[in-house]
Amino acid sequence: MFTGKNIVHSDVVTEATKQALIRRGVQLEDIAKIVYEMQAPYNPSLDLEECLDSVEKVLRKRELQHAILVGIELDELAEQKKLSAPLQQIVENDEGLFGVDETIALGAVFTYGSIAVTTFGHLDKNKIGIINELDTKKGRGVHTFLDDLVASVASCAASRIAHRTRDLEEAGLTYTDIKDKQ
């Protein structure tokens, strides 16, 4: 029997996730721009507003919320030098053979299927938009986990749009059609 005791409401976790991203210098619009870049070639009627909506919907998924909250917490602990050695140095320096950051981000991507997985691989390699800024540490701070988590969110949101586009096509509609009906 579910009693609801000691359970954090999903709205609280969603808001904490968004606030953590903002606190770390990532606006949801930054992620939406990546989504747009990934999906616009396949969907000429797509606009940034639809990409932002997809990012918002993806951030309601617990797998992504938990990955983001854990990853950001680890980045912040590394900035405060609160991790034990040698983990402190590994995370702080984003060592090349440290793959835990990608593993956490990729685990969250699996929720959205193969399109999300291949998009994540592309973004991890090519570092588009804010992902590049975080990876190259333009600004300050440790972003060992955050750059991969942003790629994860963008990949999931892009996959969501790709699937939704197909559904609309099968119904003989486009994003423009559904906007006109709103």
Side-chain angles (χ1 to χ4, degrees):
M1 179 173 87
F2 176 74
T3 63
K5 292 181 183 178
N6 298 320
I7 302 295
V8 180
H9 194 279
S10 61
D11 290 342
V12 172
V13 181
T14 299
E15 187 58 28
T17 302
K18 290 178 185 178
Q19 290 306 311
L21 288 167
I22 292 166
R23 182 176 73 243
R24 299 300 291 173
V26 177
Q27 301 297 317
L28 300 187
E29 292 81 8
D30 296 330
I31 303 171
K33 289 175 186 174
I34 297 167
V35 174
Y36 181 80
E37 186 173 336
M38 299 308 300
Q39 284 299 304
Y42 309 105
N43 186 342
S45 65
L46 185 66
D47 63 22
L48 195 59
E49 183 181 322
E50 189 62 38
C51 295
L52 182 58
D53 181 64
S54 190
V55 168
E56 292 264 1
K57 297 271 189 331
V58 162
L59 287 174
R60 295 202 61 80
K61 292 286 190 181
R62 285 185 179 84
E63 292 87 350
L64 283 149
Q65 294 169 343
H66 297 163
I68 290 166
L69 293 173
V70 167
I72 286 175
E73 186 83 11
L74 288 168
D75 282 346
E76 290 175 337
L77 289 170
E79 283 177 359
Q80 298 165 23
K81 306 217 182 281
K82 290 187 175 179
L83 299 175
S84 59
L87 185 59
Q88 174 65 41
Q89 293 77 17
I90 293 168
V91 172
E92 191 172 15
N93 296 316
D94 195 3
E95 286 193 17
L97 294 177
F98 182 71
V100 175
D101 47 341
E102 284 90 359
T103 301
I104 290 173
L106 185 58
V109 168
F110 287 132
T111 306
Y112 282 87
S114 61
I115 294 170
V117 173
T118 57
T119 302
F120 177 78
H122 174 78
L123 292 175
D124 187 45
K125 182 164 180 64
N126 294 295
K127 312 288 188 203
I128 296 170
I130 186 89
I131 298 167
N132 184 56
E133 293 174 31
L134 295 167
D135 183 61
T136 57
K137 297 179 177 44
K138 288 181 183 169
R140 48 185 216 277
V142 174
H143 306 298
T144 299
F145 288 88
L146 185 58
D147 63 326
D148 297 306
L149 293 165
V150 169
S152 180
V153 173
S155 299
C156 292
S159 178
R160 184 182 174 279
I161 287 173
H163 286 278
R164 189 154 189 243
T165 299
R166 177 65 179 267
D167 293 342
L168 289 171
E169 287 171 352
E170 289 177 1
L173 299 169
T174 67
Y175 276 99
T176 303
D177 296 328
I178 60 173
K179 283 186 183 198
D180 291 343
K181 292 179 182 180
Q182 293 178 351

